[in-house]
Each structure stands twice: as C-alpha cells, then as structure tokens.
Amino acid sequence: MKIDKHLFTSESVTEGHPDKLCDQISDAVLDSILAQDPYGRVACEALVTTGTVMVAGEITTKCYVDIPAVVRQVVKEVGYTDATFGFDYKTCGVLTQIQKQSPDIAMGVDKGGAGDQGMMFGYATDETPEFMPLPISLAHKLTRGLARLRKTGALPYLRPDGKSQVTVAYDGGIPQEVTAVVVSSQHDGKVKMSTIEKDLTRQLIQKIVPAKYLSSKTKIYINPTGRFEVGGPQGDTGLTGRKIIVDTYGGVGAHGGGAFSGKDPTKVDRSASYFARYVTKNLVAAGAAKRCEIQVAYAIGVREPVSIMVNTFGTGTVADETLEKVIRKIFDFTPYGIIEILNLRRPIYRNTAAYGHFGREEKEFTWEKLDKVKQIQKEIGASGKGCSAGKRAFSACHAVLV
C-alpha cells in the first residue's frame, strides 16, 4: 500500500488541565476502592469549575472511601495549592452524588460477561522505540516536561494548566521532520512573554524534540494568544473522559468512543482497549507488521467478543486473516481473561490518568509487556525474523528475544 507524503498532528495536555484533573480524580476514587475491595464496581465521573468539584457515578463496594479527602489530595498533588491560581485544594467545594451499580448490569458482569457493549481499538507502530506514533509520543514528553519544570522549581512562574501540540511530516509512512510545535502554559502574570518564549524553547522544546527532527523551518508557537494567566478550573470547566484521543494514540487509527478513567476493569471500554494495545504491540514487536490496529467488540453480559478485526495497513508479513486466527489462539479476550492476564484488579489507575495510557514503561502498565513475541513468531512461521519490522523497533524487540 503506497503511503504519500503528509502531515499529522497530535496534542497532549498537562495534569493540571481541567479535563485531566477530572480523569485523575475519577481514577483516584477507583484506586481508593480497589485498594480495599479488588472486586468493587466503579463508574465514577467528575466535573470541575471555579471553586467546585462534583463527583458522581455508580459504585458498589464493601468498603468506605472518604471521597472529598481523595479529591482534595489529587488537587493538591496536581499543583493547585494557592488561591491566587483561581482554584485550590483547601477552599474548593466538593459535592458527591453516588449510587449503586444497576442490578441489571451486575447480572451479566457477575457471570463473567462484559460490563457494556461497544467496540474498542488497539494500535502499535514501529516508528518509535515505545511502539507509538511519533506526534503523540513527543506531545506527551513536552507536557511532562512542562510539569517537571514547574514542580522542580526550574521555571517557578509556570502554573499547572498547559497543552502541547506536535506536527510531523511523513514520507512513505516514515517520520521525516517536525514542522510545528505548539506549547501553551498557564503562568504567573508578572512574567514577560519574551522570558516564557526563551525558556520554553531552550529548556523544553530543544531538549525534548530530537535535533534530527528540528530545522530552521520548524514553526514554534509558545502561548500563541500572548497570555495564559487564567487557567485550570477557573478558566475552563473540566469533565472526566473528554480527552480520549490524548489518552490513546493522538488521532492515529480509530477510537471506539469509550473513555477509560473512573471505570473498574469489568468495563471493557477500558480493559479491552488495554488488551488490544497489548496484542498489537506484541504483533509489531514480533515482526508480523510495521503498523497494526485491532478492533474488538462486545455485547453486554457476554464473555466472548462478538468480533475481532486485524488491520496491518498493508504492512503485514502474513495476511490479516491469518493474524486474526493467531491472536485468537494465543490471547484470551474474555473480560475475565483480560483482567487476569493484565492483573487489573489493583490500584494502578491514577498514574494512567495523565500523559497517556500507552507507550509507557512504568510497572503499572502491564499491557505494555512484550511476552508473546516468540509465540507469535512460532505461529506465523517467522521465528528469527522478529526484529526485521524496522530499525526503530529493534532495541525493544531484541530485548525480548535474548
């Protein structure tokens, strides 16, 4: 399949962005329950606005969680510690509206079925060592860098809210250069824009984006409106689940529409998306394809998926239909199987709620492990060829094979 020259853009947001703050609150509530009750059922949503946090949802558990205390701790850790920021953990009001999970849903989940219907997608590519698209990989690194500069005190005028955006030029499916970088960060009102531009160019962008991708033609935009003093919940209402593309692959590939944060692993919106990433990453690392996307779909209360589709975009070493048969043989796509294989009944979710759920090597991210490469190679008759998928995948793949 011929892939022409094109530009592709992805964005990321910091942990202090109002939507991301909500995701972290939802997942902190989930973690607090799973720490005491691994079988608790949680569907928790949050909303933030000026001076107020509201937490609502359906929770069935044997334990007690002080939700207002959890909320305030998250707000504090994210960095809203001063009333002059327009929102802070000491003075914000916290409202809760919680009820039990519907018994109609529980009936199907209790017997091992999916917690809802829907379709989920997983994706992997060999264009970066972490098997992620380059635009979203760089965008996340930039927002994490912003948070690091703020928290370490390197740039004390920065505030918690912020965004990044990266545009990459491709030729034949291969990243060639970064053509544009956008960084927006909330800041102290006393700092000059010229100082922000100089600091973020030198201490963030030039350190994060590899020099081989930057040139004199790269357009750099830092706080393009000229000022970003009012931010966070004071500047924009936030909601759980409103950054689903930031959470996944930055717009590359398809998305089923379901958000992740605040949902326990019986909700396949989350667990099956994690599993689909696990499968695609292992397929690419095994040399089965340079790019791979999987769609999996479920019916509520039913164990086995109603469909699985593999798409390698013409880069597969064997037919997509063959890969579908291979993964059905190797991987257990039932909700119970997914939870057990990825060890999902643990309080691991707060860490996933900012800077992306994929392409990270922290211990919580079990769906990033490469433990099925040899088995896949054996099934597709490609033993010994697993590192031929591309130079950029070599290091990660080789580490599995030796």
Side-chain angles (χ1 to χ4, degrees), residues 229-246:
E229 291 180 44
V230 179
Q234 184 187 28
D236 186 18
T237 298
L239 292 168
T240 298
R242 206 161 57 174
K243 286 290 177 285
I244 60 176
I245 300 304
V246 171

Side-chain angles (χ1 to χ4, degrees), residues 369-390:
K369 61 187 176 182
L370 292 171
D371 60 350
K372 298 295 184 182
V373 171
K374 289 185 178 180
Q375 195 172 353
I376 290 170
Q377 291 173 345
K378 183 179 179 181
E379 291 294 332
I380 65 175
S383 182
K385 299 178 182 178
C387 290
S388 64

Side-chain angles (χ1 to χ4, degrees), residues 309-322:
M309 182 197 74
V310 178
N311 183 5
T312 61
F313 307 94
T315 70
T317 58
V318 297
D320 292 352
E321 294 84 355
T322 300

Side-chain angles (χ1 to χ4, degrees), residues 185-247:
S185 180
Q186 184 186 11
H187 58 83
D188 186 304
K190 297 176 183 178
V191 66
K192 295 180 179 179
M193 264 307 303
S194 58
T195 299
I196 299 174
E197 290 175 352
K198 180 184 71 175
D199 287 346
L200 293 186
T201 299
R202 294 178 180 177
Q203 297 189 49
L204 182 69
I205 295 171
Q206 291 178 352
K207 289 189 176 182
I208 295 293
V209 181
K212 67 178 181 178
Y213 291 126
L214 293 174
S215 72
S216 59
K217 296 180 180 179
T218 303
K219 297 177 181 178
I220 295 177
Y221 302 95
I222 296 174
N223 285 8
T225 67
R227 192 172 69 175
F228 189 0
E229 291 180 44
V230 179
Q234 184 187 28
D236 186 18
T237 298
L239 292 168
T240 298
R242 206 161 57 174
K243 286 290 177 285
I244 60 176
I245 300 304
V246 171
D247 285 343

